[in-house]
Amino acid sequence: MILVFLGPPGSGKGTQAKKLKSEVGFLHISTGDLLREAVKKGTELGKRAKEYMERGELVPDDLIIALIEEVMPKEGGFILDGFPRTVAQAIALERMLKKHGKELSKVMLFEISEDSVVDRLSGRLTCLSCGAVYHIRYNPPKQEGVCDLCGGKLVQREDDKEEVIRKRFRVYKEQTEPLVEFYKERNRLTSLDATQSMEEVNRQLLEVIRDGG
Ligand code: ADP
Ligand code: AMP
């Protein structure tokens, strides 16, 4: 199965994709994680992407499409988290999959309000070493400031400040939400209520996967 997780920043896409990775072995491809890794390493891509990310804007399509072309697995199921984010990226994805004789199984739309997103992202903690994600109240680590999985340091992401969060939500509405119609027309869209508990969202996703998309 090839799944796309579509939804505003903070809707829980990464949390769920990481959980499914350990439960059903799907590869988790997050363009946000890949870009942060590139920024950390100081690669050419990282240097070009950094400022857009800090401002809460989208990184140009050509850079993102080249990145996905590089990492797209030839075999097995995977989840795309945070890609595509524009119609141009969605068209490029269709073309790439077709080239490999594949097609998208389903697009899961994580529905949530702006205020919930601000609440979630302003309390999000991310591990500097392994990228694991926590929440001060909804999913706290066992020991304050320390990653349960690798012992790394937990920090607030630079773009998880309220002003940037609201900008990212606006960018989502303007540039990414048109994909809802795009995938509805292609009969690929399934919506879920992302304000439910992590366990309930996980249960619904597993149901979709068991039904074979
Ligand atoms: P995204 O990948 O869509 O940007 P994340 O998975 O990083 O979102 O989740 C954003 C924040 O919300 C994190 O701090 C995470 O722990 C928390 N979170 C995720 N899912 C839920 C949920 N169902 N209920 C409450 N908090 C959640
Ligand atoms: P995320 O971790 O998904 O919230 O992404 C963090 C930031 O990375 C975004 O605010 C964008 O600047 C950039 N980014 C991630 N994925 C994409 C994408 N598919 N297209 C453009 N920019 C992206």
Side-chain angles (χ1 to χ4, degrees):
M1 278 185 90
I2 301 171
L3 297 175
V4 164
F5 282 3
L6 180 67
S11 55
K13 304 180 301 294
T15 298
Q16 296 296 333
K18 287 184 171 101
K19 210 159 155 41
L20 289 175
K21 185 179 176 186
S22 63
E23 287 168 346
V24 292
F26 279 11
L27 218 74
H28 171 209
I29 303 175
S30 154
T31 39
D33 285 350
L34 291 168
L35 289 168
R36 277 183 291 280
E37 199 55 38
V39 171
K40 207 158 92 180
K41 285 190 183 141
T43 65
E44 200 48 46
L45 170 66
K47 281 184 202 146
R48 292 178 67 185
K50 191 168 184 277
E51 281 176 21
Y52 295 100
M53 296 171 77
E54 283 172 354
R55 290 197 298 261
E57 291 168 8
L58 294 186
V59 173
D61 285 334
D62 55 336
L63 295 180
I64 298 289
I65 292 165
L67 172 67
I68 286 287
E69 256 166 353
E70 204 182 301
V71 299
M72 170 101 73
K74 308 271 175 299
E75 304 286 324
F78 57 91
I79 296 170
L80 292 167
D81 159 16
F83 174 90
R85 258 170 151 108
T86 62
V87 171
Q89 292 179 17
I91 291 170
L93 174 63
E94 269 183 347
R95 175 179 49 72
M96 273 184 254
L97 290 173
K98 204 167 166 198
K99 202 169 92 187
H100 296 299
K102 296 178 179 179
E103 62 175 345
L104 209 54
S105 313
K106 248 194 167 65
V107 177
M108 303 300 308
L109 175 64
F110 287 58
E111 292 187 302
I112 192 165
S113 69
E114 177 171 358
D115 285 343
S116 301
V117 155
V118 173
D119 177 47
R120 282 192 185 177
L121 291 186
S122 44
R124 173 160 73 178
L125 296 170
T126 307
C127 176
L128 263 184
S129 311
C130 74
V133 168
Y134 299 84
H135 192 279
I136 291 176
R137 292 187 306 283
Y138 309 134
N139 182 25
K142 293 195 179 84
Q143 193 188 334
E144 202 186 315
V146 181
C147 179
D148 293 351
L149 303 178
C150 76
K153 188 176 173 209
L154 301 182
V155 295
Q156 184 181 48
R157 261 169 56 176
E158 279 299 317
D159 58 349
D160 281 347
K161 308 262 157 71
E162 179 163 350
E163 207 185 292
V164 188
I165 297 170
R166 292 202 185 271
K167 166 87 171 284
R168 287 156 68 203
F169 192 83
R170 270 203 312 280
V171 166
Y172 171 80
K173 284 280 175 196
E174 287 166 17
Q175 300 190 53
T176 308
E177 210 168 59
L179 291 180
V180 172
E181 272 315 303
F182 182 93
Y183 286 122
K184 251 188 208 161
E185 279 165 15
R186 284 159 177 74
N187 233 343
R188 286 287 176 274
L189 199 80
T190 300
S191 303
L192 62 83
D193 175 1
T195 59
Q196 303 173 103
S197 69
M198 293 180 201
E199 293 72 26
E200 183 53 28
V201 175
N202 174 251
R203 198 190 60 72
Q204 291 181 9
L205 288 169
L206 282 173
E207 213 171 270
V208 169
I209 291 169
R210 289 213 183 95
D211 290 347

